[in-house]
Amino acid sequence: LIHFLRSRLFLIAIGYCCAGCVLQSTYPSYLSRAHYLAPKTMTSQTTAPTKVALSGAGGNIGYALLPLLASGYVFGEKQPIELRLLEIPHAIKSLAGTRMELLDCAFPCLIDVICTTDPLVAFADANVIILVGGFPRRKGMARKDLIQANTPIFNSMGRAINEVASTNCKVLVVANPANTNCLVALTEATRIPSKNFCALTFLDHQRAKGQIAQRLGVAASRVKNVTIWGNHSETQYPDALTDGYLSKQNDERIPLRSLLLADDFEWATKDFVNIVQNRGKAVMEARGNSSALSAATATADCLKMWLVTGTNAGETVSMAVYNDKGYYGIKKGIVFSFPCACRNGEWFVKEGLELSGRVQHNLELTETELLEEREAAQELVESTRKRRISLASSPPHILSKI
């Protein structure tokens, strides 16, 4: 399996290196420097465009996400948007079709579309970067195998972000293992504040809200402050009882722990947790593909709440962020999902919640997994770095043979 992964990653790397030649020979009428530009759809703008880069733009999530980005749903109908769509070479032809559809939609705020196989082109002066592209989990792959496959990808993404992105660029990582991919990227992007990075656990947050709403027979919009703690994996801990509440029209807040009693309490601490933890797997088994529509919607809503609207007073959402302060006793230096409030384009972890022994125990379980993932990723990055140094210091006649 490892030999298979290494061969696939080698081919991907070669593909990126040769992308310009491949694309120019295949699409000479469209491409220049391995990318092409959509004609300007807005010629007189007084507001500077928001430059949004999306890796893995040709996949199912990208296809569902792009209309939300281009239509004004995320950044507002008056905010001009420039899209940079990043893909690997074999997916660029399909991406050209997606570009056509974006133009055919005639979104008023979409002013430019760039399709490219070069991260340096996609991320140049980008204000927002969404990392959806990654090596997907195959049947029989352990989570460690997934980390070995994706760490080199996100290491290179981080270096590209560090080299050319806007210094206040915001980065949302969607591709799994999202928390550790995010950590790898932000570690390389030393020019960008770590607070500007986030991994998507908002999808799990929305799944949790949906389950509670169905159980209580209410609209999901009335369910507030459920929390996803930890990793975007089966060790995550969906918590409805610590801070969750049901909102009423008169601004009254009814704690979920007072509504979920008896059998409902048993459900909230067992079945509910299991359902949310394994929801992605259940969707894949049902539709034959991983979550795309819900993942795209969660990505859009997370960006909108984080960067544009903020959260309402007293409300929190789940965001996997870099833990540099040891929140809730969790070890520093990992990307961990906490309850966060958002305002003015920044997130703030809600502190001071009283955690039960059950919740604390589950936090320790997901923390342990994230520490193990970090160690595995660091070992791979370090071995790759030593290899690069070794090649750089090799005599020219040796390098020419490699």
Side-chain angles (χ1 to χ4, degrees), residues 50 52 66 69-70 81-85 102 110 112-114:
T50 297
V52 182
L66 284 169
L69 297 172
I81 296 296
E82 178 180 304
L83 289 175
R84 283 91 171 284
L85 312 184
L102 284 169
L110 180 63
D112 207 356
V113 180
I114 299 172

Side-chain angles (χ1 to χ4, degrees), residues 113-394:
V113 180
I114 299 172
C115 296
T116 180
T117 59
D118 186 352
L120 295 178
V121 172
F123 300 159
D125 298 318
N127 306 111
V128 178
I129 296 175
I130 310 162
L131 299 178
V132 176
F135 194 97
R137 191 168 189 169
R138 307 295 190 190
K139 187 176 181 180
M141 285 181 68
R143 195 165 181 86
K144 187 172 183 179
D145 299 327
L146 194 63
I147 291 169
Q148 287 182 322
N150 279 283
T151 293
I153 297 172
F154 284 84
N155 183 265
S156 66
M157 293 294 105
R159 291 201 305 272
I161 290 169
N162 192 60
E163 186 171 343
V164 299
S166 166
T167 53
N168 196 37
C169 177
K170 300 298 173 69
V171 182
L172 178 60
V173 178
V174 178
N176 288 320
N179 296 54
T180 299
N181 286 344
C182 183
L183 179 64
V184 170
L186 72 85
T187 301
E188 290 295 324
T190 54
R191 192 171 56 87
I192 312 296
S194 59
K195 194 175 178 66
N196 288 19
F197 286 77
C198 171
L200 187 72
T201 52
F202 191 73
L203 172 57
D204 307 296
H205 180 93
Q206 297 295 74
R207 287 167 171 169
K209 286 180 61 174
Q211 291 299 312
I212 294 292
Q214 286 195 357
R215 185 73 176 186
L216 297 178
V218 299
S221 60
R222 292 180 57 194
V223 179
K224 308 290 186 179
N225 289 24
V226 297
T227 300
I228 304 298
W229 300 96
N231 201 3
H232 177 61
S233 73
E234 293 176 10
T235 69
Q236 66 174 257
Y237 188 68
D239 179 11
L241 303 180
T242 296
D243 197 38
Y245 66 88
L246 193 68
S247 65
K248 300 189 73 173
Q249 289 183 344
N250 59 0
D251 291 333
E252 182 183 358
R253 300 179 178 184
I254 306 174
L256 290 179
R257 59 179 173 269
S258 68
L259 295 173
L260 297 170
L261 301 173
D263 291 343
D264 283 333
F265 182 84
E266 184 80 3
W267 174 85
T269 55
K270 292 183 179 179
D271 292 347
F272 162 74
V273 172
N274 184 63
I275 290 170
V276 177
Q277 286 175 335
N278 293 282
R279 190 65 165 181
K281 184 186 297 184
V283 170
M284 181 173 286
E285 290 175 353
R287 70 184 295 263
N289 282 299
S290 58
S291 301
L293 177 63
S294 57
T297 303
T299 299
D301 286 338
C302 182
L303 288 170
K304 185 176 183 178
M305 205 166 294
W306 178 16
L307 305 179
V308 183
T309 66
T311 52
N312 294 326
E315 293 184 17
T316 61
V317 293
S318 301
M319 299 174 66
V321 298
Y322 185 67
N323 181 28
D324 60 349
K325 295 185 178 179
Y327 299 106
Y328 292 98
I330 300 300
K331 287 184 173 61
K332 298 178 183 180
I334 56 177
V335 173
F336 196 95
S337 184
F338 295 104
C340 295
C342 300
R343 57 182 179 272
N344 301 321
E346 304 289 344
W347 54 261
F348 304 87
V349 173
K350 182 174 182 177
E351 301 184 70
L353 294 175
E354 282 192 35
L355 304 183
S356 68
R358 179 187 63 256
V359 173
Q360 194 65 56
H361 171 70
N362 282 281
L363 262 63
E364 291 169 2
L365 292 178
T366 193
E367 174 193 36
T368 296
E369 181 182 55
L370 282 167
L371 290 170
E372 291 172 352
E373 288 186 10
R374 182 182 68 177
E375 182 179 358
Q378 285 177 338
E379 287 178 0
L380 190 58
V381 169
E382 193 58 35
S383 65
T384 303
R385 185 173 288 118
K386 288 179 180 178
R387 175 66 173 163
R388 288 204 305 268
I389 294 172
S390 175
L391 289 174
S393 60
S394 297

